[in-house]
Amino acid sequence: DLIYSLHGAALSRRIDENISDLKKALDAEEKRKIEQKENPNKYNPFIFYRDVARYSKQVSRYIELFPRKNILVISFEEFIKNPLEIFMEICDFLEIDSNFKPVSTAKNQLKQVRSNTLHSIANSVMNSGAQQKILKFPKIQSLYDFVNKTNNPRLEMDPDLRKKLTDEFRPDVDKLSKILDLDFTYWYKT
């Protein structure tokens, strides 16, 4: 699910991703890594989907740097099921007041651009020195999103690709579960 979501976000945000088919984007990873070695910074690391999804490696780095008692791990699934309860757990962990009750709503839904040309122009303007001046206009980002982005219902991931990725990441999920002493195996059992 993370890989599928990252790919959708990369396409939506136009982060070095120009391959709309997830399977083809995954197939391109090795070639991209070779190109990245030859030309550092050619690609945003965000589109090396498999590397980003290897949680055990990332979590291990934190555990090496910080005492385990200073790390709170919350599964996204638990957060979605019980946002207020999880919010309070985070506040308790951080030793801050948990009396505030946030309102949680869905954000970051899949967005697609209507016009790649308009999107490219907007990106080039935003990457120029004009960015700070443009962002001073109230609601400019909201206006752009209204004009050039659309929320589409998310299509299901190809079941064969899902199974292949699930099998590929099973050892990493097992390793993560062991590192954190938490059971994440339901990720591959569903």
Side-chain angles (χ1 to χ4, degrees):
D1 290 329
L2 169 69
I3 289 173
Y4 190 52
S5 179
L6 281 174
H7 180 254
L11 286 171
S12 173
R13 293 171 46 201
R14 309 295 281 179
I15 299 176
D16 291 335
E17 186 56 84
N18 58 4
I19 303 173
S20 61
D21 180 84
L22 175 58
K23 184 178 181 327
K24 290 178 182 174
L26 289 168
D27 290 343
E29 277 187 313
E30 285 308 312
K31 181 179 178 238
R32 287 174 169 174
K33 283 184 176 184
I34 292 167
E35 291 173 4
Q36 184 85 340
K37 283 181 182 174
E38 294 169 359
N39 185 6
N41 300 320
K42 177 173 183 173
Y43 295 107
N44 186 318
F46 189 82
I47 68 166
F48 294 111
Y49 306 108
R50 286 180 171 93
D51 291 347
V52 175
R54 297 208 190 281
Y55 288 139
S56 68
K57 185 176 180 181
Q58 296 180 50
V59 169
S60 292
R61 284 189 233 141
Y62 279 97
I63 291 173
E64 288 171 13
L65 293 171
F66 303 103
R68 181 64 176 97
K69 68 180 175 109
N70 292 351
I71 300 171
L72 176 65
V73 176
I74 296 169
S75 75
F76 184 67
E77 295 85 0
E78 281 299 312
F79 177 73
I80 294 301
K81 277 195 269 184
N82 305 305
L84 189 56
E85 184 180 308
I86 296 300
F87 172 78
M88 292 173 72
E89 182 180 344
I90 293 168
C91 289
D92 289 343
F93 178 78
L94 296 173
E95 299 177 351
I96 60 175
D97 183 15
S98 61
N99 288 324
F100 173 75
K101 304 295 184 242
V103 176
S104 61
T105 57
K107 299 284 183 192
N108 296 328
Q109 297 170 341
L110 179 65
K111 294 183 174 141
Q112 294 180 329
V113 295
R114 290 184 174 109
S115 165
N116 287 331
T117 303
L118 181 58
H119 192 71
S120 293
I121 292 168
N123 278 344
S124 64
V125 169
M126 293 308 280
N127 291 329
S128 72
Q131 177 181 6
Q132 293 304 319
K133 292 176 185 170
I134 290 171
L135 290 177
K136 287 182 182 178
F137 288 99
K139 307 233 181 215
I140 193 74
Q141 184 67 50
S142 298
L143 177 63
Y144 169 76
D145 288 347
F146 176 76
V147 169
N148 200 41
K149 290 193 176 181
T150 179
N151 287 337
N152 291 324
R154 186 173 194 132
L155 300 174
E156 291 294 320
M157 184 191 300
D158 174 83
D160 292 334
L161 180 58
R162 175 179 288 283
K163 177 160 180 15
K164 180 181 179 218
L165 290 171
T166 299
D167 291 344
E168 179 181 337
F169 280 89
R170 182 182 305 250
D172 191 68
V173 171
D174 290 339
K175 188 174 182 180
L176 177 69
S177 294
K178 185 176 180 182
I179 290 168
L180 293 173
D181 196 25
L182 296 168
D183 185 8
F184 290 105
T185 59
Y186 62 90
W187 286 348
Y188 60 71
K189 291 177 181 173
T190 56

